[in-house]
Amino acid sequence: MGDLWASDLPANLDRWELDYVLYDGWDTRSRSSGGFDAVYGIGVHHTASSTSPANDAAWCWRNSDDRPIGNVILMRDGVVWVGAAGASNTQGKGGPYTFHRGTAGQDNGNRVMFSIEAANNGLGEPWPLVQQSAYLTLCCAVLDWATECTPGGPIVPDDVIAHFEWAPGRKYDPAGQSDWAAGSALWNMDVFRGEVADTWEDDDAMPDDETIKRLVREVLDEGTTFGALSWAETNQNIAVGVQNSWNAINEANVKLDQIIAQLEP
C-alpha cells in the first residue's frame, strides 16, 4: 500500500491563489492501492464530458466503476475540485515513462503520478481562457506540493505529461482549441510545458518557515554532516544563509529596476 497522500495540497493551492472546492471525503479517497508509492510526475487530461461540475465530480469520485478518476478536476470556470488525496485510476495502460525522479513502469502510472482531469468534451470545445490560465497555475501548485511534501528531490515542468504521451495511440487527451492546439488537435505539450515553466519561474514566493525547517531536517536525516555544530547552530547558520541569498536577490532586482528606468525614454 502506498503511503504518500496529497493531504497538504490545499496549502499549495492557497499559495498559488487558486479557487478550489474540497469534495466530501477527498482526504481519504484513493484507489485500492492507497496512497502514492512515489510521485514522479503529473498527468494532464480532459474529462470528455459536457456536464456540470457537480456531475463531473460525482462520476469521477462516486459513480464510475473505475473511481476515483483523477486527483483533481479543473472546471471550466477555473475552479479546482479536489477529490482524491491518494493514488487514482487515471493513467491506465501505458508507459514506461522516465521522469527526473525515476521511471514509471509499464501500466504503473497510477501509483506514481498525480492526475489532473479538466472539464472539456474533447471534440474541439474551446477551452475558456480562465481555465487555460488555471491549468498552468495548477500544474505549478502540484509541482510545488510534490517537491516539498514527497521524497525524491524536485520535480519540474518537464515532468508534466499528457495522457497521450503516457499511452500513445490509445489516449487522445488533452486536446481542443486553446493556446496549445487548433480545432480538436492534441495539445502541443512542449509549448504547454514551456508555459508551465514560465509561470513557475515567475513565482517569487518565499517558502514559509515551516517548509524551510522541514526541508533542512530532511537533509540532516539523509546523513548530511555539519561538523561539530549543534542543531541550533546549524539551523541558525542555514537560516542566515537563506536570508542573505534572498536579500541579495531583492537587491539585484532593485538595481535592475533602476537600470530599466534609466533606459526608458
Side-chain angles (χ1 to χ4, degrees):
M1 297 287 285
D3 60 0
L4 299 176
W5 295 76
S7 305
D8 297 323
L9 180 63
N12 296 91
L13 300 179
D14 284 332
R15 185 185 305 169
W16 283 89
E17 299 181 345
L18 285 159
D19 294 325
Y20 61 91
V21 172
L22 298 177
Y23 194 73
D24 186 45
W26 75 277
D27 53 338
T28 57
R29 185 173 289 111
S30 72
R31 69 194 302 267
S32 59
S33 59
F36 299 95
D37 293 348
V39 180
Y40 290 165
I42 301 171
V44 296
H45 307 256
H46 65 229
T47 57
S49 63
S50 302
T51 188
S52 68
N55 285 345
D56 268 333
W59 172 255
C60 287
W61 298 319
R62 291 188 184 277
N63 300 331
S64 172
D65 290 340
D66 296 320
R67 64 188 183 274
I69 300 174
N71 297 99
V72 300
I73 307 172
L74 175 62
M75 302 302 179
R76 291 173 175 84
D77 59 2
V79 177
V80 180
W81 287 45
V82 184
S88 66
N89 290 317
T90 316
Q91 296 304 130
K93 294 184 181 298
Y97 197 96
T98 299
F99 301 91
H100 281 79
R101 282 183 170 183
T103 298
Q106 185 173 357
D107 303 339
N108 198 42
N110 289 329
R111 301 175 73 113
V112 295
M113 292 177 64
F114 186 100
S115 294
I116 300 174
E117 288 284 354
N120 186 276
N121 68 14
L123 300 174
E125 174 190 355
W127 290 76
L129 291 177
V130 67
Q131 190 183 25
Q132 293 183 58
S133 177
Y135 219 141
L136 299 172
T137 307
L138 176 56
C139 285
C140 292
V142 178
L143 287 171
D144 276 356
W145 164 75
T147 296
E148 295 170 5
C149 300
T150 66
I155 70 171
V156 298
D158 282 348
D159 295 318
V160 178
I161 69 169
H163 206 180
F164 64 78
E165 293 177 300
W166 171 255
R170 185 178 72 84
K171 288 296 181 178
Y172 300 92
D173 62 312
Q177 184 70 43
S178 62
D179 285 347
W180 313 294
S184 58
L186 299 177
W187 282 5
N188 184 324
M189 287 303 296
D190 288 334
V191 176
F192 180 80
R193 280 184 284 264
E195 293 191 22
V196 171
D198 289 343
T199 304
W200 204 31
E201 291 168 2
D202 284 345
D203 177 58
D204 60 358
M206 181 70 172
D208 58 50
D209 291 345
E210 291 305 313
T211 297
I212 293 174
K213 290 177 182 178
R214 182 184 55 74
L215 292 173
V216 169
R217 288 184 183 278
E218 285 182 0
V219 171
L220 293 177
D221 289 343
E222 290 174 2
T224 302
T225 58
F226 291 86
L229 293 178
S230 68
W231 162 250
E233 292 169 324
T234 299
N235 190 39
Q236 181 178 9
N237 287 350
I238 292 173
V240 170
V242 169
Q243 188 59 56
N244 286 344
S245 297
W246 192 247
N247 289 341
I249 291 172
N250 285 336
E251 290 174 5
N253 284 334
V254 170
K255 291 179 180 178
L256 181 60
D257 287 341
Q258 291 172 343
I259 293 171
I260 292 173
Q262 293 173 1
L263 293 175
E264 289 178 345

